[in-house]
Amino acid sequence: MDSLTNTIQAVPLNHYILLSAIIFSIGVMGVLLRRNAIVIFMSVELMLNSVNLLLTAFSVYRGDAAGQVFVFFIMALAAAEVAVGLAIIVMIYRNTNSIDINVLNRLKW
Amino acid sequence: MSTFYFIAFLSIFFSILVISAKNPVHSILYLILTFFTFTIHYILMNAQFLAIVNFIVYMGAILVLFLYTLMLINLNKESEPVKPFMIKIAAVFGGGILAVALVSSLKSLGASDPVVLKNPELGLVKNLGKILFNEFLLPFEVSSILLLSAMVGAVLLATKDPKETKATI
Amino acid sequence: MDKLIWLIPVLPLAGFVINGLGRNSLSKGVIGAIGSLLVLVAFGLSVAAFFQIKQTGEPINVTLFDWISVGDFKIPFSFLVDQLSSIMLLIVTGVGFLIHLYSIGYMHDDAGFGKFFSYLNLFVFFMLLLVMGSNYVIMFIGWEGVGLCSYLLIGFWYTNPSYADAAKKAFIMNRIGDLGFLLGIFLIVNTFNSVAYADIFPKAAGMKAGDAPFVLITILLFVGAIGKSAQLPLFTWLPDAMAGPTPVSALIHAATMVTAGIYMIARSNILFTMAPDTMEVIAIVGLATAAFAALIALTQTDIKKVLAYSTVSQLGYMFLGLGVGAYTGAFFHVLTHAFFKALLFLGAGSVIHAMGGEQDMRKMGGLKGKIKITFVTMLVGTIAIAGIPPFSGFFSKDEILAAAFAHSTTFYVVGVITAMLTSFYMFRMMYLTFWGKFRGTHDQEHHLHESPASMTIPLIILAILSAIGGMIGVPAVMGGHHELGAFLEPVFASSKALLGEHELSHSTEWLLMGISVAVAIFAMIYAYMKYVSKASVPVSDEEERPALSNLSYNKFYIDELYDMIIRKPLDAVSVFFYKVVELSGIDGFVNGLGKGSIEASKGLRLLQTGNVGFYIFIMVIGIIAVLVYNFLRI
């Protein structure tokens, strides 16, 4: 474990930032592209995870453990959010028998 | 070092597959794979605790929940109606511009130092636990309340309303 | 006396408040008593002040409180009672009291009895303020206040629209003059840095005569006097003001308010002496007014209108006196005019009361046997106004005419002709009303009765004053000492020093006096021949009149002239402003803002599509914009 860790270090921080940015944008594209509510929700999870990765990278870079603790809380939060969000999606399905987000367009002029 | 780039490439590849798969069940499966690669990233940074938690919470709990819900809605056979082509182009462009904005805004940081583990002990469970229960005790307890409220909310939302029975007396 | 001087204006003010608040609850006797007695007490205090000044020769200066204080510029609220104002005080409170007494009888059957008395008291208060002020600003307060009371009292029977219009006309014409007065005050502040008489007049005496500030200030002050004292061209409100009750006409439009202009000019005599050009203008305007009004009065058939035009004409005489430098003479005429004009108006009121409301002289006649006291007193008043000795009008009018002769012979000739016309139309009024056969209806004949004592006692008192009032101004040439002139000497001293004395030889003076008496008696006899011997009656309104008579009867169409050159262009301007500026401009702009926001919101409404995907897309665009702005610009 240690040797593996030692040999694969020295990745510049910028690359981590770049990776995180790309995955975040992919998540945004997913939200915009799809009409299925669950797939949209999954894209949001993808965005959250990219941020987690970046936070961990920074925490290791600066030797501060606060970053990883923050990631821990983000995961707890994401779990809670998924629970409530899926409950809402089930309710929507019960009311309109579809999970296409274009069906929910009553709040307009 | 090349491990990192290979895993990074896998992450991006699978995440693209997530958003472009037609069948939603396939999307979830690709997402699981993406999270696998994330876990490996965590291990590469020696953030062991986070890697395990990621594995258990996300892939074991959250995505299973997704699958359950999808099964409940019986969606594995349907394919959703697609958005018009122009909107797809607009969405891709939007995301692309966002990426460009993020990347170019971070360019000003210049070439950075490599991520060198100063303290190899940082990601260990014991050390993380010490910091978690010392400095961050309050947020920890509060997050338990958060989970409680989420549970209550979910139960409340999903319960069917009791049908009103007409009382003749 | 210094300590009590503030009571003189405050007592009528208290009367205003009491009668005003209690106009519906107090009884008529109480209201009348309060109103009249308070003015009587003020008269008593004025008499005391007069005697104190006569004895000591020193004016009474009392400061009540500091009113305006801006940096170096101070205007205290203080009273100055000197020789000039003490005589005015006597006139205002004395004649005012008599008219209050008269009104108890005249307005007895009117529903607004209490309101009338409260307005009368308010008027006396403002007039006293005007006369007693020690600076121009307090005078202006009184000036405006009497204008207001004039409006309230002329339009007393406001339910009649033409009466209300007359009140508005009086007030508006007064205001036009007041603008000139106000500008004059501003210029005074600019030139002398003070508005107090005690500061301005000594400073003015030391400056050079004929300077530009003097001309401008005096012209503007004179404009104010034109409005208030009904000179050409702002005189048309006074005949229309006869719409008010007769005591109002007597008090305001004969004795007190209209003389405010003359008082103001007499007070500022040094300023006017410093501007000889303005004095020339004043004399010409006064003379023109006197002649013009006399010509109109020749053919009038309403008894009050004759007296109204007579007032305008006599005011013109007073301004003529001021213009030629005879300040004492003009003020003497103010005094005598107050007596006989108030008497004539009150007498006319008594005639109207006897005739049951009829004012047209063509329907009167032969009243001298029926209403004897009124007849005798009005005869005294008429002889006085015609300028026949030894009644008071002769002395005052002759003093003015003598000064006019010394100034310019043309002025004198026009003045004498106007005196002849005055005598003629006044005696015409007397003959038509009291001589001959009664021309009214049967009911009116039965109704004829003498007025009650409350109305006849003031008549008698005023008649006595008109008869003997001239004795205080008997000139040296007739063996008198001219007490009034000696008394007023300190007020006009600096002006007299600058103007110099116009010495006329004794024989010239006797000649002038003889001429004026002769023309007056000639006119009286001519009128007698025409209206009593030949018993001619003025024609009714429907019949034809010869051209000159028609012009005179229609007051030279001056109201129609004003209508054409002033009112119509103003109306056109007003319509323009309404249609173009108000409706299209301002309304268009404001409504346009409303319409614009509605149109904009119609457009913005389309953003609310309800489509979640659209909202998310816009959100992403927004975030990108924020990122770009923050990170790439800074």
Side-chain angles (χ1 to χ4, degrees), chain A residues 8-11 13-15 17 25 32 34-36 42 45 49 52 56 61 65 77-78 91 93-94 99, chain B residues 1 5 19 21 28 35 38 42 44 58 73 75 80 83 99 106 110 112 115 117-118 131 146 157-158:
Chain A
I8 60 168
Q9 284 176 34
V11 177
L13 188 62
N14 271 355
H15 294 189
I17 295 176
S25 333
L32 295 175
R34 304 293 298 249
R35 270 162 76 157
N36 190 335
M42 282 195 293
E45 292 299 316
N49 264 291
N52 282 352
T56 316
Y61 174 67
L77 187 86
M91 288 293 292
Y93 181 72
R94 275 209 207 126
I99 51 171
Chain B
M1 207 150 101
Y5 293 111
I19 65 172
I28 296 185
F35 285 167
F38 276 16
Y42 286 135
L44 283 178
Y58 265 111
I73 300 178
L75 213 54
E80 67 195 58
K83 291 196 164 178
L106 294 170
S112 69
V115 178
L117 253 186
K118 297 195 184 68
I131 295 175
L146 175 73
L157 277 174

Side-chain angles (χ1 to χ4, degrees), chain A residues 24 28 31-32 34 40 101-102 104-109, chain C residues 605-613 615-618 620:
Chain A
F24 189 82
V28 168
V31 168
L32 295 175
R34 304 293 298 249
I40 291 178
I101 57 167
N102 275 357
L104 314 163
N105 61 354
R106 300 265 197 92
L107 209 63
K108 62 176 179 184
W109 59 270
Chain C
R605 183 179 68 169
L606 296 171
L607 273 179
Q608 298 263 342
T609 56
N611 191 344
V612 176
Y615 288 166
I616 298 176
F617 182 60
I618 298 293
V620 170

Side-chain angles (χ1 to χ4, degrees), chain C residues 78-120:
Chain C
S78 64
F79 291 146
L80 167 73
V81 181
D82 65 354
Q83 291 87 351
L84 189 65
S85 23
S86 68
I87 296 188
M88 283 299 288
L89 280 181
L90 287 176
I91 296 178
V92 173
T93 50
V95 177
F97 166 67
L98 290 173
I99 293 180
H100 276 76
L101 197 58
Y102 182 89
S103 308
I104 299 180
Y106 189 80
M107 300 292 288
H108 190 262
D109 296 322
D110 197 292
F113 189 78
K115 200 165 61 152
F116 187 74
F117 268 88
S118 68
Y119 285 164
L120 274 186

Side-chain angles (χ1 to χ4, degrees), chain C residues 150-187:
Chain C
S150 158
Y151 166 77
L152 290 172
L153 284 165
I154 294 175
F156 188 68
W157 292 311
Y158 54 84
T159 45
N160 185 331
S162 65
Y163 292 174
D165 283 342
K168 272 187 284 185
K169 183 172 180 177
F171 193 65
I172 292 175
M173 278 194 154
N174 261 311
R175 289 297 276 154
I176 300 176
D178 290 346
L179 178 64
F181 191 11
L182 204 56
L183 288 174
I185 294 182
F186 292 157
L187 265 181

